[in-house]
Amino acid sequence: DLAGAALEVTDLKAQAKARHALPPFTTSTLQQAASSALGFSPGKTMKLAQSLYEQGLITYMRTDSVNISEQARAAAKDYIAANFGPEFHPATPNFFKSKADAQGAHEAIRPTDVFLAPQTARDGGMDATELKLYDLVWRRFVASQMADARTTVRTVSLSARKPAISHDYLFTASATQIDFEGFLRVMNLAAKKRRADGEED
């Protein structure tokens, strides 16, 4: 039915959107992210997290809270301003709400020292497998304290035009333009690093 039909642009929309960073990890969200991003089983993730915790590199790994201490929040602000620029830190700090039944005895899972970036840890000889999980925790925490990403989503609508066409056909396509990276900067850096290393992105 569409053979020989012409496509005509019938609508073009541009919509500004803000993307918010996800909260820092809890036990369950760390396990989910490590499974999807790294292919780790929950058991392997917890074993590696236990090791990182015992080395004093991350906070306690069994928690259902997304709370962050004021000291950690202030350190993250200093790191973000020094490494990305003050505009990458939100005017009002990001706070995340834990579930109603969360214990709250522990913080979210985060690096104990935000200034120990994954590259520094790699240069320091951290175990390669542990480094992958540390990198995940570190990026998620830093991103959670950064400003929103601002994007423009453009959607174009196209209609098929042809004499004696049987149906009305409408096609749409969307593209997202990043106007301000915000928290995506720390995620994008990691993606570029993986590509540079020759690993699958």
Side-chain angles (χ1 to χ4, degrees):
D1 198 23
L2 286 165
L7 290 176
E8 177 185 324
V9 175
T10 54
D11 193 24
L12 183 63
K13 292 179 180 176
Q15 184 179 12
K17 287 190 175 183
R19 283 185 61 183
H20 310 294
L22 292 169
F25 285 129
T26 61
T27 302
S28 61
T29 57
L30 175 63
Q31 289 174 331
Q32 292 164 20
S35 175
S36 60
L38 304 173
F40 290 173
S41 68
K44 181 175 182 176
T45 297
M46 294 310 291
K47 184 178 179 181
L48 292 169
Q50 176 79 38
S51 177
L52 290 171
Y53 170 68
E54 289 175 355
Q55 295 174 64
L57 296 169
I58 64 171
T59 54
Y60 192 57
M61 67 287 162
R62 295 193 181 277
T63 178
D64 55 4
S65 170
V66 292
N67 294 330
I68 293 296
S69 72
E70 285 302 318
Q71 183 180 9
R73 200 182 304 280
K77 180 179 180 180
D78 291 343
Y79 181 88
I80 291 164
N83 290 273
F84 303 113
E87 69 275 16
F88 281 86
H89 189 272
T92 303
N94 295 334
F95 288 90
F96 301 94
K97 193 172 183 180
S98 296
K99 293 180 181 177
D101 59 348
Q103 298 293 321
H106 300 286
E107 290 185 65
I109 303 170
R110 62 166 178 83
T112 54
D113 178 9
V114 71
F115 283 87
L116 181 62
Q119 183 60 52
T120 307
R122 179 183 290 111
D123 295 343
M126 183 185 289
D127 173 80
T129 310
E130 290 180 357
L131 180 63
K132 288 181 178 180
L133 190 67
Y134 180 79
D135 180 70
L136 202 64
V137 170
W138 184 89
R139 283 189 288 116
R140 177 75 164 240
F141 170 65
V142 174
S144 77
Q145 301 305 301
M146 294 178 75
D148 291 347
R150 296 192 299 272
T151 64
T152 300
V153 179
R154 289 185 173 81
T155 303
V156 61
S157 299
L158 306 107
S159 295
R161 300 284 189 245
K162 177 184 173 182
I165 197 165
S166 301
H167 301 279
D168 288 331
Y169 296 96
L170 179 68
F171 300 93
T172 62
S174 295
T176 301
Q177 172 185 307
I178 298 175
D179 302 314
F180 174 68
E181 285 182 296
F183 77 92
L184 293 175
R185 170 67 69 88
V186 73
M187 311 307 280
N188 288 344
L189 282 176
K192 289 172 185 172
K193 194 178 296 177
R194 285 199 299 274
R195 286 196 295 270
D197 290 345
E199 295 182 20
E200 184 178 349
D201 181 14

